[in-house]
Amino acid sequence: MNLDSRTDERLLFDAEDDVYQMLMKILNSDPSDNMKILKALINAEDDQLPLLDGSTNRRVKLEVLKGKNVFLLISGLDFPNEDLLLLKHIHKEFCLERSLIHRRHEFMWIPIVDHSFKWKDSQQQEMFECLQASMPWYSVCTPARIDKAIIRFIKEEWHFQNKPILVVLDSQGKVMNRNAIHMMRIWEDTGYPFTSSKEKALWGAETWGLELLVHDVHPTIQNWIKKGKFICLYGGTDMKWIQTFTTVAKEVASAERIPLEMVYVGKSTHRERVLQCIAFISMKELSHWWPDRTMVWFWSRLESMLFSKIQLGRADEKDPMLEEIKKLLSYDKEGGWAMLSKGSSPIFSGSSATVLPTFMAYHAWKEQVPTKGFDQAVMDYHDQLRNDSDYPKFDFIDIE
C-alpha cells in the first residue's frame, strides 16, 4: 500500500469518527426538537426529500416528523414476516385512532445494508424495494444515505446486531427506549407509548402464568383457561418421547377424571423436524398442536421476554419470573419438556428427564390426591424427583 492510499484511509477514518462523535454529542445533549438527531442519522442536510411516505409512495421532507415521537425501525433486508405483520397492526391502530396523542407518533424505517455491495448491480436493491413497498410508514429513500459512521453508531450505542430493533425518540429527540421491539411482541398495542417506563410498569403488573405465555396466540387456550382446565404445553422433537409422554399423561388424567388439554408447541429451531413431529402427532391423534407460524411467534415472544428483562437491568436480580423464562428456554435447548397448568396458574415445568417419570410413577403419588388435590400431589412428586438424582428411569414405548 502506497503513502497516498494510507493517507486516504486515514482521512476516511477521521471523517467517520467525526460523524460518530457528533452523533454522541447530540444524543447526550438537551435538544429542543428532534430534527438535529434525525438529520444526523439519515445524513439529510443535502436532500430536501430524504423520506418515502409508504402511504402515498411519494418522497417527502424530513420536517413531516418535526415535533413528533418517532419510532425508528432499524433493520437489515432480512425482516421476519411475523414482526412486520405486528408492526403493521400497531401502525394501523395508530392510523385508526383519531386522538391527538396518537397522531403525534410516526414510524420511520432505517435500512442497514452492507456498503461493500454496489446498489445498482446488486440483488439487494430489489430486496430493499420489495421490503420498502410493504411498509405503510415513512422510510429512508435509499440505504446509501446511511453511511458507515451511522451504522457503527447504531451498532455500538443501540446494540443493533442484524435483528430488527425499534428505538423510541420523543418529540425532542431524546431516546425513551433503546429497543421497544420486545415489548411490542409481548404486549402489542397495550405497550403504547412503548417507553422504558411503560415497559417497567407492564412487567410490574404481570404474574407468571399461561395467560402471559400464550397471550392471544391461540384463542382456544383462553377458553380452556376460563374453564379452569388442566393445560399442558409441551415441546421437543423426539417422537418416541412425545408419544410416550402424551399417552401416559392422558392415562393419568383419565384415571383422575380431570379435564386435561395437551398442546404441542414445537421447538425454537429445527423447523423441518418440528413439521415432521406435527404430522406424526396429527396422524396418531396424540394432542393438539399449533401451526408452524404460531409456534414461531410463541418462541419469539418468549425470547423477547428474556431480552426485555435484560434490557431493563433485571438479569442479575432475584426475579422469579425471569427464572421461569430462562427455564423454558433452557428446556427447549435440552430436548423434550412440558409445563402443566390449571387454568393460567402453573403447577410445574420440567425437562423430559423429570416430567415423564412423574406421570409414569403415578402409582407412587396417587394416594396423596384425595388429601392434597391432583395439582399439589403431582407438583410435590415432580419437585421431589427433580431434587433426587436417583429417580427411576423408564424406557420409551415403541412407536413403530
Side-chain angles (χ1 to χ4, degrees):
M1 182 182 295
N2 58 40
L3 182 60
D4 288 342
S5 297
R6 288 198 296 270
T7 301
D8 289 343
E9 282 191 4
R10 183 62 191 174
L11 288 171
L12 286 171
F13 178 82
D14 289 344
E16 180 181 319
D17 198 55
D18 287 345
V19 173
Y20 186 95
Q21 294 304 322
M22 176 193 67
L23 285 164
M24 286 297 300
K25 185 176 180 181
I26 294 171
L27 199 65
N28 294 323
S29 67
D30 189 15
S32 57
D33 65 49
N34 59 1
M35 283 293 98
K36 189 175 287 187
I37 183 67
L38 291 176
K39 284 180 180 179
L41 281 170
I42 67 171
N43 200 13
E45 295 292 348
D46 61 341
D47 191 338
Q48 295 300 309
L49 304 171
L51 302 182
L52 182 76
D53 183 344
S55 65
T56 64
N57 204 33
R58 293 180 179 178
R59 290 183 65 167
V60 295
K61 295 180 179 181
L62 185 64
E63 280 69 22
V64 296
L65 301 177
K66 187 172 183 178
K68 295 189 176 183
N69 300 306
V70 181
F71 301 128
L72 297 177
L73 177 59
I74 303 171
S75 78
L77 303 183
D78 185 14
F79 203 107
N81 188 56
E82 292 78 14
D83 283 335
L84 187 57
L85 289 173
L86 171 62
L87 290 164
K88 282 184 177 181
H89 165 73
I90 292 173
H91 181 264
K92 184 179 179 180
E93 291 296 309
F94 280 8
C95 292
L96 291 173
E97 178 59 61
R98 298 301 180 185
S99 72
L100 180 62
I101 293 175
H102 284 77
R103 286 202 297 269
R104 289 203 297 259
H105 292 76
E106 296 288 355
F107 282 81
M108 184 180 82
W109 181 41
I110 298 180
I112 305 296
V113 302
D114 186 346
H115 280 265
S116 64
F117 287 93
K118 292 183 178 180
W119 269 99
K120 297 300 180 183
D121 303 327
S122 171
Q123 194 178 21
Q124 282 196 329
Q125 177 73 25
E126 185 178 343
M127 292 173 63
F128 165 72
E129 291 174 355
C130 182
L131 183 54
Q132 186 181 48
S134 71
M135 296 179 173
W137 44 77
Y138 296 108
S139 61
V140 177
C141 61
T142 171
R145 304 202 63 81
I146 315 301
D147 62 32
K148 290 182 179 180
I150 296 167
I151 293 174
R152 175 190 160 199
F153 172 84
I154 289 171
K155 287 183 175 180
E156 292 184 10
E157 298 302 319
W158 292 340
H159 308 298
F160 173 72
Q161 295 179 339
N162 299 320
K163 291 185 178 182
I165 65 172
L166 195 76
V167 180
V168 179
L169 302 181
D170 70 6
S171 59
Q172 293 182 314
K174 182 180 178 182
V175 176
M176 303 304 291
N177 195 330
R178 286 190 310 167
N179 189 6
I181 199 78
H182 302 304
M183 65 184 302
M184 279 194 175
R185 287 176 185 153
I186 300 165
W187 294 288
E188 298 184 2
D189 46 356
T190 305
Y192 174 84
F194 305 108
T195 60
S196 293
S197 59
K198 178 69 173 183
E199 193 168 11
K200 289 177 183 177
L202 286 169
W203 274 123
E206 286 290 0
T207 55
W208 178 249
L210 207 55
E211 281 191 278
L212 172 62
L213 264 182
V214 301
H215 192 45
D216 58 357
V217 164
H218 207 276
T220 303
I221 292 187
Q222 294 297 337
N223 292 332
W224 295 340
I225 289 172
K226 289 175 184 176
K227 292 177 180 178
K229 288 187 173 185
F230 287 88
I231 303 166
C232 180
L233 302 185
Y234 72 98
T237 55
D238 186 322
M239 293 186 193
K240 287 187 176 182
W241 183 85
I242 288 170
Q243 183 172 21
T244 305
F245 174 66
T246 53
T247 301
V248 174
K250 286 187 290 186
E251 286 175 352
V252 170
S254 177
E256 288 295 328
R257 297 181 181 178
I258 62 169
L260 174 67
E261 302 289 353
M262 304 188 74
V263 184
Y264 177 65
V265 300
K267 190 175 177 67
S268 62
T269 56
H270 301 93
R271 291 177 73 174
E272 287 300 319
R273 179 65 175 172
V274 167
L275 291 175
Q276 292 173 9
C277 289
I278 290 174
F280 175 75
I281 291 165
S282 178
M283 179 183 69
K284 297 283 187 179
E285 298 182 344
L286 299 176
S287 74
H288 302 278
W289 47 269
W290 284 341
D292 180 55
R293 177 176 288 184
T294 305
M295 289 185 186
V296 171
W297 189 238
F298 170 81
W299 290 108
S300 179
R301 283 188 74 249
L302 188 61
E303 188 179 68
S304 279
M305 290 179 197
L306 174 65
F307 289 141
S308 173
K309 288 279 190 178
I310 291 172
Q311 189 169 280
L312 290 174
R314 304 298 301 272
D316 297 326
E317 297 182 23
K318 282 289 184 180
D319 184 339
M321 210 177 302
L322 178 60
E323 291 307 308
E324 294 300 324
I325 294 165
K326 287 180 176 178
K327 272 186 195 177
L328 293 188
L329 290 171
S330 67
Y331 296 154
D332 177 53
K333 288 182 172 60
E334 291 172 12
W337 64 276
M339 175 178 172
L340 181 65
S341 301
K342 185 177 183 181
S344 182
S345 303
I347 298 173
F348 71 80
S349 65
S351 68
S352 59
T354 57
V355 292
L356 176 58
T358 294
F359 282 100
M360 293 193 79
Y362 170 60
H363 64 280
W365 53 268
K366 67 179 181 179
E367 301 301 328
Q368 302 295 318
V369 174
T371 54
K372 291 183 176 181
F374 175 82
D375 43 346
Q376 189 66 47
V378 70
M379 180 179 70
D380 288 348
Y381 188 84
H382 178 266
D383 290 350
Q384 175 188 332
L385 199 61
R386 187 173 52 192
N387 296 327
D388 184 2
S389 60
D390 297 323
Y391 60 79
K393 307 296 189 297
F394 299 94
D395 293 328
F396 296 152
I397 62 174
D398 190 357
I399 66 170
E400 299 302 327

